[in-house]
Amino acid sequence: MYKQPAFNHPLLKNHTLQLKPSSLPKGMKLAKSKPASFYGFNDTCPSGTVLIHRARKQDLIESKLLRNQFRAQAIANNPTAEGSHYAIIEMVYDQFSGAYDPFYGAYAKMATYKLPDLQASQTSASTIYLFGDKNVPNNELNVIQAGWHVSPVMYGTSYPRFFTFWTIDGYEKTGCGNLECSGFVSTTNIYGPGSFIPEFSTYGGEQKYLSILISRDSSTGNWWVTYNDELRLGYFPKELLPKMDDYADAVQMGGHVYSPLNVPSPPMGSGHSSNEGPNKAAYFIQVQAVDSSNKLTNFDTEFIKSRSDIGDYYSISDDHESGQDKYVFAYGGAGGFTK
């Protein structure tokens, strides 16, 4: 664990490994983690170690591809990200209007789906994004994210995978997905970024949810990722994120897809329209923020904005407060857009 590749990053030369968060956000309780069982392999790495990504020659190409895909959502009208599309909700801190306090984290449960018909060149993701100061030039934009995606080019399969991503220059040159470059620090030997998600929802049937919490540690400033209300997987070190030293300016949640320009765009979410309703459309539920007192709190729905770049293909629907499920929204679509 102390020798993992994350510490090869020059900004982490003097970084001190943090083994667990100083505290969980108030209102958050962790369940006991289940034994690992992926692809029939009932085992974990030895105690004191972490999962390590086995580097391949095409990884650098794939990391650049993913940066281009994610850039479309973060930076409007970016010509290098053609083929990327999104349907998201967004909450932005505005120190002048007082609409929101700054964000110290975000939490949601998102329905997971297998999308078997994706082509090798396509990607479909469902993600929580946290942005640093959005009033900086694009090449200084800090973003961290976590969620699930289907990416045949990365994994050679259409099964959903848990993933993380980070960048400190608006997806231009820095950052990568999962453990493909130095940066994200792993702290568990059971699971990690890029790992297989064993359960997924059935259209019209039982829904399976992936719970993700990204929260800033009030003592160290590191941004921790907690998986399925069970595992504190690791963190994005504060040294990597100069524009997120104290808090995040904006939170986005929703779906994002990519397809080459000559290939119809892939399905998002469940692969069905967001207005089909529960058990058919994909949902985010229990959407919450972490406030300055390290407490999970509901977003003010008056200031939540929804947007998509091609509304006839991907959209947000049924966004409302729903008692025990807090704030919920449906998103996605069948795709099929070509340009």
Side-chain angles (χ1 to χ4, degrees):
M1 186 180 297
Y2 289 89
K3 297 179 180 180
Q4 62 183 287
F7 300 124
N8 292 335
H9 196 288
L11 293 177
L12 303 183
K13 183 178 180 181
N14 298 314
H15 179 79
T16 300
L17 173 65
Q18 185 180 7
L19 294 177
K20 62 181 181 179
S22 302
S23 63
L24 288 171
K26 301 177 182 70
M28 178 85 179
K29 292 184 179 180
L30 294 188
K32 186 176 181 180
S33 60
K34 303 179 184 69
S37 179
F38 309 112
Y39 297 117
F41 182 66
N42 295 302
D43 203 355
T44 62
C45 295
S47 177
T49 69
V50 293
L51 284 71
I52 300 297
H53 175 71
R54 180 177 292 163
R56 301 167 301 167
K57 290 182 179 179
Q58 67 264 39
D59 287 341
L60 290 176
I61 298 173
E62 292 167 2
S63 290
K64 183 177 181 180
L65 174 66
L66 284 176
R67 282 200 299 270
N68 288 342
Q69 293 173 21
F70 290 125
R71 185 184 294 129
Q73 188 168 333
I75 304 172
N77 301 319
N78 190 294
T80 65
E82 288 187 326
S84 294
H85 306 288
Y86 57 85
I88 59 162
I89 63 167
E90 182 177 49
M91 294 69 68
V92 179
Y93 167 56
D94 187 340
Q95 60 179 316
F96 300 106
S97 70
Y100 275 126
D101 288 331
F103 302 104
Y104 294 84
Y107 174 85
K109 293 185 176 182
M110 55 192 85
T112 58
Y113 278 88
K114 183 184 177 185
L115 299 172
D117 298 326
L118 260 67
Q119 298 183 32
S121 57
Q122 297 175 323
T123 298
S124 184
S126 300
T127 315
I128 297 174
Y129 299 76
L130 272 70
F131 293 78
D133 187 351
K134 295 198 77 173
N135 297 314
V136 297
N138 289 341
N139 63 1
E140 296 180 17
L141 184 65
N142 292 188
V143 189
I144 54 177
Q145 56 195 89
W148 68 271
H149 68 172
V150 176
S151 181
V153 71
M154 288 189 69
Y155 310 110
T157 175
S158 59
Y159 280 87
R161 299 276 188 139
F162 167 73
F163 82 100
T164 59
F165 202 98
W166 65 273
T167 180
I168 59 172
D169 62 356
Y171 302 93
E172 288 194 6
K173 295 180 180 179
T174 66
C176 65
N178 302 332
L179 305 176
E180 291 186 355
C181 66
S182 303
F184 184 85
V185 176
S186 296
T187 58
T188 176
N189 63 333
I190 297 176
Y191 201 74
S195 292
F196 172 64
I197 295 175
E199 297 182 324
F200 41 86
S201 304
T202 303
Y203 177 76
E206 186 177 8
Q207 301 296 286
K208 297 293 185 178
Y209 289 91
L210 168 65
S211 304
I212 296 293
L213 169 70
I214 307 176
S215 59
R216 181 182 180 274
D217 189 287
S218 56
S219 296
T220 64
N222 299 322
W223 291 86
W224 276 85
V225 177
T226 302
Y227 173 87
N228 253 4
D229 302 335
E230 295 176 1
L231 290 173
R232 294 167 289 203
L233 293 183
Y235 57 89
F236 299 99
K238 66 176 182 179
E239 293 92 338
L240 288 184
L241 304 163
K243 305 301 182 183
M244 295 180 68
D245 189 41
D246 295 319
Y247 53 79
D249 265 9
V251 175
Q252 292 179 357
M253 299 185 188
H256 179 267
V257 299
Y258 170 81
S259 191
L261 295 182
N262 60 341
V263 178
S265 63
M268 177 192 293
S270 69
H272 292 264
S273 172
S274 65
N275 62 16
E276 291 192 24
N279 301 334
K280 295 181 178 180
Y283 275 78
F284 276 62
I285 66 174
Q286 297 187 23
V287 173
Q288 296 173 282
V290 180
D291 65 15
S292 58
S293 60
N294 198 33
K295 179 181 178 182
L296 283 173
T297 184
N298 294 339
F299 288 105
D300 188 337
T301 57
E302 179 182 355
F303 299 104
I304 295 177
K305 297 180 180 179
S306 60
R307 59 189 178 97
S308 61
D309 64 324
I310 47 173
D312 290 340
Y313 293 85
Y314 308 110
S315 60
I316 301 288
S317 302
D318 200 17
D319 44 328
H320 66 284
E321 291 183 337
S322 181
Q324 182 178 348
D325 282 336
K326 315 297 183 185
Y327 180 80
V328 307
F329 67 93
Y331 70 103
F337 174 79
T338 56
K339 182 178 179 181

